[in-house]
Structure formats: structure tokens, C-alpha cells
Amino acid sequence: MSTTESTNVLVIGSGIAGCAAALSAARNGDNVALVTKATHADETSTGWAQGGIATTRHDADQFKQDIIDASDNTADPNAVDILVNEAPSVIEDVLIETLDVPFDKENDEFAYGQEAAHSTRRILHVGASTGKHILRPFFEYLQNHQSVRIYDDSTALELITEHDTVHGAIVEDSNTSRVIFAGNTILATGGIGTLYPYSTNPSAATGDGIGMASLAGAQTADMAFVQFHPTAYAADDPDELFLISEAVRGEGAVLRNGNDVRFMPDYHVDAELAPRDVVARAVSSERSQTGTVYLDVSSFDFESTFPDLAAKCEQHDVDIDAGIPVAPAQHFLCGGVVVDTHGRTTVDGLYAVGECARTGVHGANRLASTGLLEGLVWGVRAGNDAAGKSATAVETPDVTTIDPQLPDQFTDAKFKRIQQIMGRSAGITRTRDDLQNAQAELRRIKGEIDAYARTRTSRSLYELRNAAVTALLITQAASETDSVGCHQLVESADPAPQM
């Protein structure tokens, strides 16, 4: 069945950035359609976020400097100013007054956490499960908002464009194909984790927003800067992987190698609290040299400080007293679709917010717990800016299925191949030769995908197409970018992380 609908603002994605954009547009009196792959809040990258959300407190200038230092001096100062200056009011308005998020407190005052590369405690958190405590009430609030329609378990297949302007998207769920015309469309599709063999992202993170925006003509930037989190549980099975929050090191945990030696003081003056790119490369190097790295949490009461993480460790039979085995895993894309200070892309009618957007805040390396903040601040800004425009119906792309035949396991096999290519060629360290070879392989894969996509419509095929486009953008940018931040070119790259 196929339907046609119209709305003022179409938001694609339901993490903190998408929800903030939807809320902001609805507050302006607009009708909002929110399309999400998720069926509940925990299936988004925000829902998986552990550490918390950074805020400014009384140290605006130092917070700005911490962000710029962590970025290897590549962050856009104007974007950083917006983030830092607007953080307190946006958090107070949306997260505290509107959603009543139960941030941890001590003696009726917020209990701010410490994380790597922050010069002071400034992280608002709810245990080590902050994301779900933000997104569950956010999702519920929007479900009950009279101006917001939520289409869950739904995928945006393609943007509707005419004369270099986006007019909405074609959306599919298990039963219905919808043409949704919109005055403005906001991409908030999250990350790229499914492009890598080991990632802290949910499985729905297939680079959709970046792929669709690029195919619609939008510019991207900083795509070389793929951040790897240094401390994911070193599981053999990628499905068993889980993140060990940076906040654990903020509370005093230290990293030891296979020789039981604490090694981070040899790599950086801030040791375990060095920027993520530094710690991730150090962990990777020590694992290669000594066979293993583990997180020593013996200096504090891990179970009572991080009960959710302690429970996960117990579920995976991890002996906390012996240390938690860790390895780097893909975590966050610092680049994305180029946007201005209100989330506007280079294509009329199209906005992008959250991880799929490149605001300039993160530069070449993201400071811990600024991802949720960026999504919230730019989500509110984009929703405000996108409001007030009526939809225009235009001719839509033909995505009907002419040839229903698709080889069994085609998409699974191609996703696996993309993961192998990206893990080998676009990991923590890269070589130009590997990146050039990766581009050639990825172009061949994309050609195969395009051949099927011309005659067949399916969520998995369009996700695969977006993943291939995004992987190409990453490898192209990485081959053309000098080493900085989390992008490091070497003569001989480390092998892909093996848990």
C-alpha cells in the first residue's frame, strides 16, 4: 500500500538531535513528522550513550579550550562558542524543565562527573546509562504531543528533490510506502557503526543521512575523522561488545597491558585522561605488543559507582577483580554533512543535526560527552529555523519494485565485505595505499548495489547503498587528508582490531 502525506517539518531519526528538532519545530506551531527505524528509544545511538552530557557550569572559556585542545586545534571556534554558550539554557529548558531527566545528585546538587580531556568535572549523568534516561522520556513526550506524528519501525529510502531543493522523503515500513512532502527536512540519522566490524553503535547506524544527503548533492567534510573509543569490552563476538564509559577512567581506573604494566603515563602527560585518539592508539599498540589490555578498577568501588556496567560485566562473566579486558572500537564520526550554525546544509530545504552533521564543533577528534550536547543544541536551532514553511508536492522518484529477485544473503554478504574493507583500511591507523585499494573495492560494490537498486525497493538494499556511499566518502577523505586528531596515516597500518 502507498500513501501520500504532507507536513511542515519532516525529521528523520529519533536520537537526541532528532527529538530536539521535532520538539523545537512543534513549539513553533508546526506539524512535524518524525520517522525512525527504532521501535523504542533504546535502539538509537543516544539510547546507548553512557557517560553523560557536558555542560558549561562556571568555566565557559576553559570548556571552549578543552574542546579545541581535544580536537588537535581543528575545531571551529565559532561553532564551539555556540555550543558552550547555549549549553546551560538548552539543558535547563529541554532536559530539566521539560523532561525532568533525573541527573545524579549529591546533597541536592548535581553530581558532575569527570571524563578524559576535561579540565574539571562538568558531566551531567544518570549512572552510566545517561542516554536512555534522556531519550525514553523524550520519546514519550513527543508521542503525546498533538503536533508530532511518529512513524516507528520506518526507513527513509530516498530524499525527494526538484531543482536542487529537498521536498521530503519516501519512507517505508513493513506494510506501507509513504511519500511525505515537507516544507523542510531534517536529517538526524546518527552514526556509521555498521560500516565497521567492531563498533559501539546500534545495528541501525548505517550512514543513511550522509548517504542520502550526498546523493542529493549536499557537501560533506571532515569524513576522515572516525573516532575509536579506547575501552570497549574485548568480546570475540561483535554482538557481545559493550562500551566501558570514559567516566570509569574519570573515577580513577587505569589501563594495564599484558605484562601488568600501567602504560598510559608513557604516552601522554594526562595518562588515562588524555584525548580519546591518543588513548585508543596506545591501547591498540599495547595489545599488539603484549597481547591484551585491561582496565584496572581496583582503586574505587566499581559496583556501587557504576552498577549498570557492573551488571553487564557479570552477564559476560568478567572477573572485575582481575580487570576488564578492553580494545578500541569504532565509536563516532566527527565529520558528516556540512551545516551552518542552524543546521542548514548546502541543499535548500535540507538540514542535518547530530552525528550525521558536520558542525565544526569536533574538528578532528571529539571531546567526551559533547556529542549529546551538540545534538541537543543544533537540534533545537534547526527545529526553530526549519519551522514555518508549507510543503510543496512535486514529482517523486520511482522506487517501485520491478524485479523482486535479489540473491539470498546479498546484502548481508556486502555489508560484511564493507566491514572487512573499512576495518582493514580505515581503522585507527591507515596507509594511503590501503585507502586507494579500498576505494576501488568500494566502487565495485556500489556498482553492484546500484544495479539492484534501480529495479528493487527494500530497506536493507537502500541501507547498503548508503553504507557504501559513506564508506567511499570516508576513504576518499582519509586518502587526501594529512594526519591529525583521530586520523593517522602511517607507512604500515596496524591490523584491524581483533577482540
Side-chain angles (χ1 to χ4, degrees), residues 95-387:
L95 302 187
I96 297 173
E97 292 184 357
T98 302
L99 302 179
D100 194 25
V101 176
F103 291 119
D104 290 348
K105 292 184 177 183
E106 292 178 0
N107 301 319
D108 293 326
E109 298 289 335
F110 289 124
Y112 295 97
Q114 176 72 57
E115 293 191 8
H118 287 271
S119 59
T120 189
R121 289 180 172 269
R122 60 166 72 93
I123 315 299
L124 289 165
H125 57 90
V126 185
S129 303
T130 307
K132 68 181 182 182
H133 288 284
I134 290 174
L135 209 57
R136 285 175 180 174
F138 216 153
F139 211 66
E140 182 178 354
Y141 186 90
L142 293 175
Q143 284 176 319
N144 295 322
H145 199 294
Q146 63 180 4
S147 297
V148 179
R149 291 172 294 163
I150 296 178
Y151 300 93
D152 63 4
D153 194 22
S154 298
T155 303
L157 301 179
E158 192 151 1
L159 297 173
I160 300 168
T161 60
E162 184 179 81
H163 304 310
D164 299 322
T165 299
V166 170
H167 292 278
I170 297 172
V171 175
E172 183 179 78
D173 64 19
S174 57
N175 301 311
T176 306
S177 175
R178 288 186 176 87
V179 173
I180 303 180
F181 292 115
N184 281 305
T185 300
I186 302 175
L187 298 171
T189 54
I192 61 163
T194 307
L195 278 62
Y196 282 83
Y198 293 96
S199 174
T200 63
N201 293 182
S203 61
T206 50
D208 293 336
I210 295 168
M212 287 189 293
S214 180
L215 291 171
Q219 293 179 9
T220 61
D222 291 349
M223 293 294 291
F225 304 136
V226 179
Q227 186 179 74
F228 290 77
H229 200 288
T231 55
Y233 168 60
D236 293 329
D237 182 351
D239 292 335
E240 297 296 312
L241 181 149
F242 63 92
L243 181 67
I244 307 295
S245 170
E246 201 128 11
V248 176
R249 282 176 281 132
E251 291 301 317
V254 298
L255 289 160
R256 299 186 183 277
N257 63 22
N259 298 325
D260 201 32
V261 174
R262 183 187 179 196
F263 57 85
M264 276 311 304
D266 295 333
Y267 286 86
H268 196 278
V269 65
D270 292 329
E272 281 78 10
L273 298 184
R276 279 183 182 166
D277 61 318
V278 175
V279 182
R281 285 193 293 273
V283 170
S284 179
S285 176
E286 294 293 324
R287 279 172 54 84
S288 296
Q289 295 176 52
T290 70
T292 189
V293 167
Y294 68 92
L295 200 58
D296 178 355
V297 297
S298 62
S299 64
F300 65 99
D301 189 342
F302 178 73
E303 288 92 338
S304 64
T305 308
F306 299 102
D308 291 350
L309 284 176
K312 282 190 175 182
C313 288
E314 184 176 358
Q315 291 168 11
H316 290 79
D317 297 322
V318 176
D319 182 356
I320 294 172
D321 292 334
I324 305 170
V326 295
Q330 188 281 331
H331 185 59
F332 190 90
L333 178 64
C334 298
V337 183
V338 172
V339 298
D340 66 10
T341 57
H342 290 87
R344 292 176 291 228
T345 73
T346 55
V347 174
D348 287 345
L350 184 64
Y351 293 68
V353 293
E355 190 173 347
C356 72
R358 185 269 188 191
T359 64
V361 163
H362 306 305
N365 187 57
R366 178 171 73 85
L367 178 66
S369 288
T370 56
L372 292 181
L373 180 60
E374 180 202 36
L376 180 63
V377 169
W378 257 263
V380 169
R381 282 179 151 252
N384 276 326
D385 196 79

Side-chain angles (χ1 to χ4, degrees), residues 44-69:
T44 67
S45 293
T46 296
W48 286 28
Q50 290 184 6
I53 183 167
T55 191
T56 304
R57 301 190 72 186
H58 308 297
D59 59 343
D61 289 341
Q62 187 57 56
F63 189 11
K64 294 174 188 177
Q65 193 59 52
D66 287 351
I67 293 171
I68 291 171
D69 288 346

